[in-house]
Each structure stands twice: as structure tokens, then as C-alpha cells.
Amino acid sequence: MSTSFSTPPSVAAQIARLPELPMAEIRALWQKLVGGETPTHNRQFLERRIAYRLQEAEFRKVDANLLDRNQRRIESLVETGKVKKRDRDYRPAAGTVLVREYKGVEYRVIATADGHYDFHGRMFPSLSMIAREITGMRWSGPLFFGLRPPTNAKAKPSTKKRGAR
């Protein structure tokens, strides 16, 4: 006799299902995730807050320090009135899918919980190694995948015409 184990739907699947649920289930989810009665009958409001709570619960499991780091940044903003520059840590949260089109081909990379990246079923320790695999050249992985803006190291060309008086 074989036993079938089913895994719970992913957070993304749970969120995608919210608009299809009857209002009674939305209220039950609210009570389970937030507690108490729903503060409004506005379904869109409730779905958004439920989606946030589902993600919050899931990502706290994946990276317990994520919300704590964000809370410290918020407290620093309130205290100083300034947003501190982000650390040079461009690692996306586990489960993030990075998509990059290069020479007409779309490439997908998935960030894993252990800080590595899954590219075509192979694990890589850095995005730069994947960018090199794709292009054949050395690239900054965070730059290649759009996690970091390009630096303006090169001066912009002058708009003045030379030789004109």
C-alpha cells in the first residue's frame, strides 16, 4: 500500500488563490493569520494584508533575521530621518527567480536558502559565475541580473561641438 504525501501549496500559490476564495474563507484566514474580526469588508484590503502575513511567515522560516534587519533599518530611519545606504549584500531572498534576457535568450536563476543559485539544475555559489557561464566574459553578477545599478565611472560625452565658435 503506497501512501501519498502532499506538500502544502507554495506561498505564491496560496496568494494567487486568494481572489478565488469565498469571503467566509478570507475571514477565516484573517482570523488565523492576524487574529480578531476583519476590520473592513473591503476584500482587496483583506487579501493584501493576508498575502503580506503569508509571506512574512514563510520568509521568517527561510531567513529568521530578515525581518529583524528590516526592523533595525526602519528604527534607524525614524531616529535619524535618513535612509542608510544598503549594504553591498545584493543576495536576493530564497526562492527569488532572477530573469535576464541575453542575446535573445531568456535565462532564469533561482536563489536558494543556502545562499547559492540554481541555474539549469546546477548549483553556483555566485551570480558572477552564472553571468560568466552565459556570456563567456567576466561580469558582475548583481549588475548582470539587475540587482545593482551600473556605476557611472565613465564621464558622459560632451554635448558641445568642437571647433564651433
Side-chain angles (χ1 to χ4, degrees), residues 28-96:
L29 261 173
W30 179 274
Q31 200 156 26
K32 176 183 168 191
L33 296 168
V34 180
E37 295 299 314
T38 57
T40 178
H41 297 292
N42 182 326
R43 185 180 179 103
Q44 194 174 43
F45 173 88
L46 298 173
E47 287 177 11
R48 287 180 180 165
R49 293 329 175 272
I50 290 169
Y52 177 84
R53 288 295 174 111
L54 288 169
Q55 292 175 76
E56 183 180 54
E58 182 63 23
F59 292 127
R60 185 168 288 284
K61 282 190 275 182
V62 172
D63 183 357
N65 295 319
L66 176 66
L67 295 176
D68 296 330
R69 282 194 311 264
N70 284 342
Q71 186 61 41
R72 285 193 304 273
R73 292 185 70 215
I74 290 167
E75 288 167 2
S76 173
L77 171 64
V78 169
E79 187 178 306
T80 65
K82 296 180 183 177
V83 177
K84 287 174 52 176
K85 283 192 174 186
R86 292 205 55 187
D87 296 335
R88 294 205 49 177
D89 184 8
Y90 295 101
R91 285 173 277 181
T96 301

